[in-house]
């Protein structure tokens, strides 16, 4: 999680609101990028199989993201002119799942999911834990 930074609480709340609005649209799409540079146990496919989920379930899981699961943001190193990624961590079966997403297109209702896999390292930094919107 190098080069990360903490977005303001308000910016994370806006991101989550926009994310959910897009995902509620029946025409929305989640593009999942397969991870091929790491061991299989840190792949999306392995994680989904282990959790009894499929790729369609990712869309539903993204709708459930909360402010207190936010970790940090980071730039898209492959496309420096695009939006930054938002990183979240959810717990499934006592294991941390690392989720790295961004809104790829507001107009076309596309979410880019770069990561949805077990965390390689324990995530301990949750800047807004216990600070949910009332």
């Amino acid at each position: 999680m190098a080069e990360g930074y903490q977005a303001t609480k308000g910016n994370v709340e806006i991101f989550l609101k926009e994310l959910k609005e897009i995902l509620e649209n029946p025409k929305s799409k989640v593009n999942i990028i397969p991870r091929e540079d790491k061991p299989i146990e840190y792949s999306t496919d392995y994680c989904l199989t282990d959790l009894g989920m499929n790729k369609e379930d990712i869309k539903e899981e993204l709708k459930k993201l909360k402010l207190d699961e936010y970790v940090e943001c980071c730039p898209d190193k492959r496309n420096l002119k695009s939006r930054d990624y938002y990183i979240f961590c959810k717990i499934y079966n006592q294991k941390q799942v690392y989720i790295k997403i961004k809104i790829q297109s507001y107009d076309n209702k596309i979410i880019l999911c770069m990561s949805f896999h077990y965390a390689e390292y324990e995530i301990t930094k949750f800047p807004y834990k216990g600070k949910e919107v009332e």
Side-chain angles (χ1 to χ4, degrees), residues 21 27 31-33 35 46 54 61 64 71 97 99 119:
E21 285 175 2
K27 294 181 180 178
N31 288 336
I32 301 165
I33 307 301
R35 187 173 190 193
Y46 176 86
N54 59 43
E61 292 304 309
K64 298 176 191 174
V71 176
V97 173
I99 301 167

Side-chain angles (χ1 to χ4, degrees), residues 9 67-69 126-134:
K9 181 181 174 202
L67 177 66
D68 68 354
E69 296 166 328
F126 295 90
Y128 304 118
K129 191 119 184 133
K131 299 177 182 172
E132 282 294 321
V133 182
E134 325 279 280

Side-chain angles (χ1 to χ4, degrees), residues 9-54:
K9 181 181 174 202
N11 282 348
V12 178
E13 290 170 338
I14 290 167
F15 174 80
L16 287 169
K17 181 178 181 284
E18 292 174 342
L19 175 73
K20 290 171 187 178
E21 285 175 2
I22 289 171
L23 292 172
E24 290 295 337
N25 187 307
K27 294 181 180 178
S28 68
K29 182 177 181 187
V30 177
N31 288 336
I32 301 165
I33 307 301
R35 187 173 190 193
E36 299 169 356
D37 62 332
K38 298 285 181 177
I40 189 76
E41 62 267 21
Y42 301 115
S43 72
T44 298
D45 286 341
Y46 176 86
C47 182
L48 292 176
T49 300
D50 192 54
L51 295 173
M53 296 180 183
N54 59 43

Side-chain angles (χ1 to χ4, degrees), residues 81-130:
K81 293 182 180 180
S82 73
R83 294 177 185 87
D84 289 350
Y85 287 104
Y86 280 72
I87 298 169
F88 295 84
C89 177
K90 289 184 70 80
I91 305 295
Y92 298 92
N93 301 335
Q94 290 87 43
K95 291 183 180 178
Q96 291 185 326
V97 173
Y98 178 84
I99 301 167
K100 183 176 176 182
I101 55 174
K102 70 177 176 176
I103 297 171
Q104 187 171 14
S105 172
Y106 286 89
D107 294 339
N108 295 317
K109 314 270 185 264
I110 299 171
I111 304 301
L112 180 63
C113 181
M114 182 58 76
S115 298
F116 192 102
H117 56 78
Y118 290 126
E120 291 180 67
Y121 308 99
E122 183 181 7
I123 298 170
T124 58
K125 183 178 83 171
F126 295 90
Y128 304 118
K129 191 119 184 133

